[in-house]
Amino acid sequence: EILLEGVKRDPRDPHAWYNLGLLYKNTSDTQAAADAFRHVIEIDPNDADAWYFLGSVYAQAKQYPQAIEAFQHALKLNPLHASAEFGLSRAYQQSGDTEHAREHLKRFQYITQTKIGAPMSLAYGEQGQYSRAEESPVFVEKVPPAIKVQFVNTTDAAGLGTRPDSNPLQGAAPLPSEAPGACFLDYDGDGRLDLFLPKDKQNGVALYHNLGGGKFADVTREAGLDPGMRVVSCTAGDYDNDGATDLAVSTGGSIRLFHNEKGKFNDVTEAAGIRSDGLYLGLTFIDYDHDGDLDLFVTRTTGFAASKLPSPKTPPAPLRYSNLMLRNNGNGTFTDVTESIGLAGDTRSLAALGTDYNNDRAIDLVVTGETTTIFENPREGKFPARHPWSAPMPAPTAGVAVLDFNHDGWMDLAFTHEGAPGLTLWRNNHGKSFEPVTLPKTDWVRAFGVAAIDYDNDGWVDLAAVGETKAGKGEIRLFRILGPDGFKDVTTEVGLDKIQLKDPRSIITGDYDGDGATDLLITQNHDPAVLLRNEGGNKNNWLRISLKGLNDNKSGIGTKIEVFAGANRQKFEVYGSSGYLGQNSTEIIAGLGQAKQADVVRMLWPTGVLQDEIEIAANREQLFTEIDRRGSSCPTLFVWDGHHYELVADMLGAGVVGHWVGPGERNIPTSTEYVKV
């Protein structure tokens, strides 16, 4: 009755018609269901799920020609719609067309087995965009009043000072002016954030073990790393899914991969088949093909190795290509697939970050440099290069951060630039375009690092960046989001105007002292890094979210997280790189404001599993392990024994993929199955 009243009040509401269709379908009223889904298609003819359910209803009514046509239309809109492929196979089989049935069954098996798509399930949110509850369009969420927060320089107190035995590389080329980056990671699995960062002016690096209590100890040599190693950038992730966080670095002229073996890093670059030539800058772990293994994407700024840089009198040779995608083969080795999937590029690239900008569940790549490009992930074939900027993009770009600053569920983009204005923010217009957003003015002539950070845990993600003025002064700026009223520069209010910087580069975020307030670390070109402790941000409530993949992608990189607390809805993603040449902690600090709990934490894992956790208490760390469930169309049967429900069996177990008949052959599955209770 409620849904009927809804379509009576607003006949153009696709949500009401869609859910009516699902209701009628589940009660076997196929005529009413088909009518409801046709209304959805009239309103939104490009919704593949509506076409799929229309086909399912026709098949339910044994109107197979109409079902075939509807399924084909769904696949035209979304060629990787696994449920539509299976439905089409069944419709052909029921029509007696065995040849086409087998063809589409094989296609269904390919989509699901390669994990580029998954069947729809009965879980909430998994039956199409219009099946989900709508937020009230008349409610305007307000940002709570500011609380007192101060950022304090704790570099020396934390034990991050310089060390005399840095053992710099003798005769090595200096770090590029764009470098260096740094990474927060938990290399020993003790639950505390460690640091991998440039050491000092001598181009050394250090791995700092977090001792707790805000203190770090240099364990570079003990962890098997060379303190004299020249490092430009880094990314951390479990590339072989053994449960330990591995490390990949760019030294400028090469890429090196370090496998974590119980807290000690072993250089496996050669064994992994990684070959590199050129001057490499940014790199990020990303599972671009959704096969459960982290791949490695690298940006390149010149075709010459660092040790063979041309003299100023020698014109540079043309780039073969500016990017490098190394596909993880799942056996400890990587293969260069750059050109075959269209990611080569032909201009200087600086940083890269993986995000699902168009909400199609495939992880896209945002690449900065002379041309700011979004490489859209098609799941199959080559990545088309998109430039969806509705206004001229100041070029070149350097760093990139992703945030849903306006809580609309679409990830927005912030860029730093190697020229004025230094920092820009772009609102995502439902994956179709990006529109510039006004920010408080700076007098920066260039900027590099940028980070999304809810510094006061009010439930709204703010924006921090580092840049340089015309006078050569290094600065950090913090812009607080005010909701519909835009942004306010709160740099002075939080004490960041007192922080002295010289040639600042990367800025990364993480709660290194475990108090629930997000801290900052800033690198500088040839000067020591600066650690800034957040004091006061935990006066508002918060939730620290850690993720662990079940079998695939155990780092959880690429997972999308939504946090609902009262009227506040936030969206996050887990990244293999952050901002500029570095990586934030992969833990998510979700500010809750005055809310005592997160009502719902929703995770969409890279495997396609949708997981909801409810009523999570505030002010704690919560580890979420991916549940052992793959999206499917198979129902499960429970019986009530008078006291509780007991699982009898899952239905259609062999029906989804069919059973083995002979070499290379499976039967055409049937949906009819009987279970004796």
Side-chain angles (χ1 to χ4, degrees):
E1 292 182 6
I2 294 175
L3 291 173
L4 288 172
E5 180 64 23
V7 297
K8 182 178 179 180
R9 292 186 179 186
D10 184 4
R12 300 290 297 174
D13 182 0
H15 293 82
W17 283 116
Y18 195 94
N19 284 282
L20 267 176
L22 292 175
L23 179 63
Y24 287 136
K25 176 181 180 295
N26 292 337
T27 56
S28 299
D29 190 343
T30 56
Q31 183 59 46
D35 182 64
F37 285 120
R38 280 194 292 264
H39 273 91
V40 178
I41 290 168
E42 180 182 344
I43 298 167
D44 183 1
N46 294 319
D47 186 71
D49 295 327
W51 283 101
Y52 160 71
F53 277 115
L54 180 60
S56 298
V57 170
Y58 281 137
Q60 192 174 353
K62 302 186 185 305
Q63 299 176 27
Y64 299 116
Q66 295 93 326
I68 290 171
E69 183 180 357
F71 288 135
Q72 288 175 333
H73 204 110
L75 289 167
K76 182 178 180 181
L77 294 169
N78 179 6
L80 300 176
H81 200 300
S83 291
E85 281 288 4
F86 182 73
L88 185 57
S89 174
R90 286 278 298 129
Y92 274 126
Q93 187 247 344
Q94 294 292 341
S95 301
D97 189 342
T98 305
E99 181 179 352
H100 281 100
R102 292 186 184 279
E103 174 189 340
H104 289 282
L105 177 62
K106 288 181 179 179
R107 175 65 178 169
F108 166 79
Q109 292 171 332
Y110 168 76
I111 291 173
T112 54
Q113 290 171 6
T114 58
K115 302 177 184 178
I116 59 175
M120 303 179 82
S121 78
L122 298 177
Y124 171 75
E126 284 289 274
Q127 293 190 296
Q129 61 172 330
Y130 292 127
S131 69
R132 305 184 189 106
E134 287 186 276
E135 295 181 4
S136 172
V138 298
F139 178 77
V140 178
E141 191 180 350
K142 294 184 179 180
V143 177
I147 61 174
K148 185 177 180 180
V149 176
Q150 290 288 296
F151 282 91
V152 179
N153 188 336
T154 56
T155 308
D156 292 333
L160 301 185
T162 59
R163 187 180 64 181
D165 63 338
S166 295
N167 188 27
L169 293 175
Q170 299 299 320
L175 283 174
S177 61
E178 297 92 347
C183 287
F184 274 119
L185 72 160
D186 181 8
Y187 84 96
D188 57 348
D190 64 356
R192 293 190 291 262
L193 288 182
D194 309 303
L195 266 172
F196 180 79
L197 74 164
K199 185 67 176 169
D200 51 34
K201 297 181 181 180
Q202 298 175 304
N203 296 350
V205 296
L207 176 66
Y208 286 101
H209 176 230
N210 192 330
L211 302 175
K215 300 289 186 180
F216 290 87
D218 189 330
V219 295
T220 313
R221 293 188 186 278
E222 295 90 325
L225 298 171
D226 179 6
M229 181 169 54
R230 178 181 186 270
V231 170
V232 171
S233 61
C234 56
T235 181
D238 183 7
Y239 77 87
D240 60 345
N241 291 323
D242 65 352
T245 301
D246 308 302
L247 187 65
V249 304
S250 164
T251 67
S254 66
I255 304 159
R256 297 177 69 177
L257 180 65
F258 295 92
H259 182 242
N260 188 339
E261 299 173 359
K262 297 182 179 180
K264 193 159 187 175
F265 289 95
N266 181 30
D267 189 337
V268 295
T269 308
E270 185 174 350
I274 295 177
R275 305 288 184 268
S276 49
D277 61 340
L279 184 58
Y280 295 93
L281 287 179
L283 68 172
T284 180
F285 277 124
I286 175 176
D287 184 11
Y288 83 90
D289 52 0
H290 299 83
D291 65 351
D293 301 312
L294 291 178
D295 312 298
L296 186 61
F297 182 78
V298 191
T299 62
R300 182 165 61 175
T301 188
T302 174
F304 290 92
S307 59
K308 300 178 181 179
L309 289 175
S311 68
K313 297 180 181 180
T314 305
L319 284 171
R320 286 190 297 122
Y321 43 83
S322 52
N323 306 318
L324 184 66
M325 176 61 87
L326 299 173
R327 182 185 183 276
N328 190 331
N329 299 320
N331 59 1
T333 66
F334 291 77
T335 300
D336 183 349
V337 296
T338 312
E339 292 184 281
S340 65
I341 61 175
L343 289 176
D346 56 5
T347 60
R348 183 176 68 110
S349 298
L350 290 180
L353 183 149
T355 179
D356 181 10
Y357 88 98
N358 55 0
N359 283 347
D360 67 351
R361 297 192 174 189
I363 303 300
D364 312 297
L365 272 163
V366 183
V367 180
T368 69
E370 292 178 6
T371 303
T372 307
T373 303
I374 296 179
F375 289 98
E376 185 177 315
N377 191 337
R379 291 184 180 263
E380 285 186 303
K382 293 190 174 184
F383 284 62
R386 308 293 190 200
H387 304 95
W389 324 116
S390 62
M393 172 67 72
T397 50
V400 55
V402 181
L403 67 162
D404 180 16
F405 77 88
N406 56 351
H407 290 190
D408 66 351
W410 296 85
M411 304 311 290
D412 311 299
L413 297 173
F415 293 100
T416 52
H417 303 266
E418 290 186 320
L423 177 67
T424 59
L425 176 64
W426 300 76
R427 184 180 67 85
N428 188 336
N429 181 24
H430 296 87
K432 299 174 182 177
S433 64
F434 285 82
E435 302 171 354
V437 176
T438 301
L439 290 174
K441 291 184 178 180
T442 70
D443 61 347
W444 288 350
V445 295
R446 63 175 181 170
F448 292 95
V450 58
I453 172 176
D454 184 1
Y455 78 96
D456 55 356
N457 284 331
D458 64 354
W460 291 78
V461 178
D462 312 297
L463 195 59
V466 290
E468 299 173 24
T469 68
K470 295 178 181 178
K473 178 185 177 183
E475 292 183 340
I476 176 174
R477 293 287 188 93
L478 178 61
F479 298 143
R480 182 174 189 256
I481 178 68
L482 303 178
D485 297 325
F487 288 81
K488 177 185 178 182
D489 189 337
V490 295
T491 306
T492 301
E493 286 93 320
V494 299
L496 288 174
D497 60 322
K498 301 181 179 66
I499 304 301
Q500 297 184 2
L501 300 172
K502 182 180 179 182
D503 300 326
R505 292 298 179 260
S506 179
I507 178 171
I508 60 174
T509 65
D511 181 15
Y512 80 88
D513 53 358
D515 66 352
T518 304
D519 311 301
L520 295 169
L521 182 126
I522 302 169
T523 67
Q524 303 180 91
N525 188 241
H526 299 306
D527 267 11
V530 178
L531 182 65
L532 301 174
R533 183 176 186 269
N534 181 331
E535 297 186 352
N538 54 9
K539 293 176 184 176
N540 277 324
N541 294 324
W542 50 273
L543 180 65
R544 182 163 60 247
I545 299 171
S546 301
L547 301 180
K548 182 180 179 181
L550 181 63
N551 296 309
D552 300 331
N553 193 350
K554 290 190 175 181
S555 300
I557 290 174
T559 303
K560 303 170 187 63
I561 303 171
E562 290 181 284
V563 178
F564 300 83
N568 188 298
R569 169 194 176 185
Q570 302 177 71
K571 184 177 179 181
F572 306 91
E573 295 175 324
V574 180
Y575 306 111
S577 65
S578 311
Y580 179 75
L581 305 188
Q583 185 175 3
N584 298 338
S585 165
T586 55
E587 296 177 335
I588 300 295
I589 303 288
L592 301 179
Q594 295 301 305
K596 302 298 183 183
Q597 66 177 21
D599 300 317
V600 179
V601 177
R602 175 170 298 150
M603 291 152 285
L604 178 59
W605 296 86
T607 54
V609 170
L610 186 68
Q611 179 175 346
D612 284 349
E613 302 290 343
I614 63 173
E615 298 180 352
I616 308 300
N619 304 325
R620 57 180 288 190
E621 178 179 1
Q622 181 66 51
L623 172 64
F624 292 114
T625 300
E626 181 183 4
I627 58 176
D628 189 6
R629 182 185 72 211
R630 296 294 184 266
S632 75
S633 57
C634 299
T636 52
L637 176 64
F638 290 82
V639 295
W640 177 255
D641 66 1
H643 301 283
H644 61 275
Y645 284 101
E646 183 176 345
L647 174 67
V648 175
D650 61 332
M651 308 295 288
L652 312 182
V656 175
V657 297
H659 61 261
W660 185 83
V661 175
E665 184 180 1
R666 290 178 180 269
N667 78 313
I668 297 298
T670 174
S671 59
T672 303
E673 183 172 324
Y674 299 91
V675 175
K676 184 177 181 180
V677 179

